[in-house]
Amino acid sequence: MSTWDLSTVRHHVLICNGGSCLKQLGDETTLAIRDEIAQHKAEGLIHTTRTRCNGRCEDACVVTVYPQGIWYKEMTPELGRRLVREHLLEGKPLEDQMIYSYETSFVPTGKGRTGVSRIKQ
């Protein structure tokens, strides 16, 4: 197992590989994102992590990009490749897939499913 030097990394991409996301091409999306990063020789700029459930199962496959805090829904291998090219390398988020962005808290875009609040009223 490796311990990576992250000092040159500009983006951390969290790719859900929980049960619902795996059923919606989560593994294939992970591999496509990693392949696109390699094709652009951007391994030093973009770090990826497979996660378990990110809690947005109805929006599967979910991909999150930090430090921007942008959450994407219904990602596929082709959308994953676009994510690398357009968002991570060119700075143009995939607005049609965004379900949350981050300002001082997470702000829903209105394109994802309505979530269950954890705040007890």
Side-chain angles (χ1 to χ4, degrees):
M1 192 165 247
S2 298
T3 300
W4 300 109
D5 174 4
L6 302 175
S7 63
T8 61
V9 171
R10 293 185 188 159
H11 301 284
H12 186 189
V13 181
L14 303 162
I15 309 154
C16 186
N17 277 213
S20 295
C21 288
L22 285 177
K23 290 176 187 171
Q24 298 297 326
L25 304 176
D27 186 51
E28 295 86 347
T29 301
T30 301
L31 296 175
I33 289 170
R34 289 178 172 173
D35 180 64
E36 195 72 18
I37 291 167
Q39 284 186 30
H40 291 277
K41 298 181 180 11
E43 295 94 336
L45 301 174
I46 305 165
H47 181 71
T48 63
T49 302
R50 289 180 190 253
T51 67
R52 292 286 188 178
C53 181
N54 289 350
R56 299 288 307 175
C57 298
E58 291 183 31
D59 289 321
C61 171
V62 175
V63 174
T64 309
V65 177
Y66 283 95
Q68 297 87 355
I70 295 176
W71 288 57
Y72 289 106
K73 68 174 182 161
E74 300 168 356
M75 295 298 286
T76 63
E78 184 49 44
L79 286 170
R81 290 182 182 281
R82 274 188 57 210
L83 173 79
V84 173
R85 291 188 309 268
E86 295 176 27
H87 179 161
L88 305 178
L89 296 176
E90 296 176 12
K92 302 174 192 164
L94 307 180
E95 294 192 19
D96 52 328
Q97 298 304 119
M98 286 174 53
I99 52 177
Y100 284 94
S101 62
Y102 190 83
E103 292 171 25
T104 56
S105 64
F106 287 103
V107 179
T109 63
K111 295 177 183 170
R113 307 266 197 248
T114 301
V116 176
S117 177
R118 292 182 173 198
I119 299 171
K120 297 190 187 215
Q121 308 237 346

